[in-house]
Amino acid sequence: FFSLHDKAESFTPNPQYQSRPGPRHRSGSGVFNSNDGSGPGKPGDDGSGSDSNDENVSKFPKAESVQQTEERVRRIDDHLRQMSDSSTESDNEEEGIESAEKLGKTWEKLSAEEKYESIRNSKTDVDAIAKNTGYKSKNIQKCKNHLFYDIHRLDRYESLGEPVEIKRFDANENQARAWKRLEEGTHTKEDLTWLKHEKAEQWYEQKHDAGYSESHEKAESHWSGTPWTNTEDKK
């Protein structure tokens, strides 16, 4: 993909009947005046429970086998699952559309750091850039890691007495915009130059276990890291 002196890598249950006390009667020796097989909580001739002959009192459901109960529960579960899946898919589609619209409307207004965070969260940019540039996805992923995730030895101004920092690159507006253009396929030749610089820088840093300053200068000798301006953009 990129080369730095030609050395860079080509990038249920048995039914139970609940017993309820019925109205007390003066005759008889117990709570119920008779037990003809259709008393409270017991199945009658038609398989249903009955509270004597009072039509105003609801009857218990017919008895069913364990297999019937399991089948009924299974059908209910399937129905609920289908409803849940349908609802989830609909919600996800609406959220995806909303997020895309929101990002499209606000991208220009995001700060550089917010743009970087958005890029870190993207799951589609690497493949999109690979498709738009013709470069291998694995090399684009290495560039993304280098720019937005990896920790570096930032020693650019060590010779001037500035302390060395071990951290990610600071967010850079020009580079965030270039990455977005590469993703959308609206990139310029300067964006491609910058991408080559970052790949070479990443390769040298990893190959030689070097700090940022040395890696940057080696890559800069071939491709500019700030091709959009005449002044250097610090990371």
Side-chain angles (χ1 to χ4, degrees), residues 96-218:
I97 293 172
E98 181 179 356
S99 297
E101 291 177 347
K102 184 177 180 181
L103 182 60
K105 292 176 182 177
T106 63
W107 171 263
E108 292 300 322
K109 296 181 180 180
L110 295 177
S111 67
E113 187 56 51
E114 288 171 332
K115 286 183 172 72
Y116 266 47
E117 191 61 30
S118 175
I119 292 170
R120 290 187 187 105
N121 292 334
S122 175
K123 305 298 181 184
T124 59
D125 56 344
V126 169
D127 287 340
I129 293 174
K131 180 180 178 181
N132 292 334
T133 62
Y135 300 149
K136 294 180 179 179
S137 292
K138 68 177 184 179
N139 288 324
I140 301 300
Q141 184 64 60
K142 288 179 181 180
C143 283
K144 182 175 182 177
N145 293 344
H146 177 71
L147 286 163
F148 305 108
Y149 295 108
D150 291 348
I151 303 299
H152 308 277
R153 185 174 185 270
L154 303 182
D155 56 353
R156 189 66 186 275
Y157 303 107
E158 183 179 15
S159 61
L160 300 177
E162 292 289 333
V164 173
E165 296 181 280
I166 308 298
K167 65 174 188 176
R168 288 174 173 173
F169 291 137
D170 293 336
N172 180 285
E173 182 71 23
N174 284 337
Q175 295 181 8
R177 289 175 181 273
W179 189 266
K180 190 68 172 177
R181 289 192 295 269
L182 287 162
E183 180 183 5
E184 294 176 341
T186 59
H187 54 279
T188 65
K189 64 179 182 179
E190 287 81 12
D191 297 335
L192 292 175
T193 296
W194 166 72
L195 191 64
K196 292 176 182 179
H197 169 94
E198 296 301 338
K199 181 60 183 75
E201 185 179 280
Q202 175 271 323
W203 175 84
Y204 190 93
E205 182 182 55
Q206 185 177 48
K207 178 74 173 179
H208 300 281
D209 192 24
Y212 167 69
S213 183
E214 181 181 353
S215 303
H216 176 78
E217 292 303 327
K218 291 294 183 181

Side-chain angles (χ1 to χ4, degrees), residues 34-57:
S34 66
N35 186 355
D36 59 2
S38 60
K42 296 183 181 180
D45 293 337
D46 61 355
S48 64
S50 168
D51 286 332
S52 73
N53 295 320
D54 190 347
E55 294 182 356
N56 293 325
V57 180

Side-chain angles (χ1 to χ4, degrees), residues 12-17 62-66 69:
T12 273
N14 291 322
Q16 297 180 356
Y17 298 93
K62 291 183 179 181
E64 62 182 12
S65 68
V66 172
T69 301

Side-chain angles (χ1 to χ4, degrees), residues 89-103:
E89 290 176 2
S90 177
D91 290 345
N92 287 342
E93 289 177 0
E94 291 179 0
E95 290 176 1
I97 293 172
E98 181 179 356
S99 297
E101 291 177 347
K102 184 177 180 181
L103 182 60

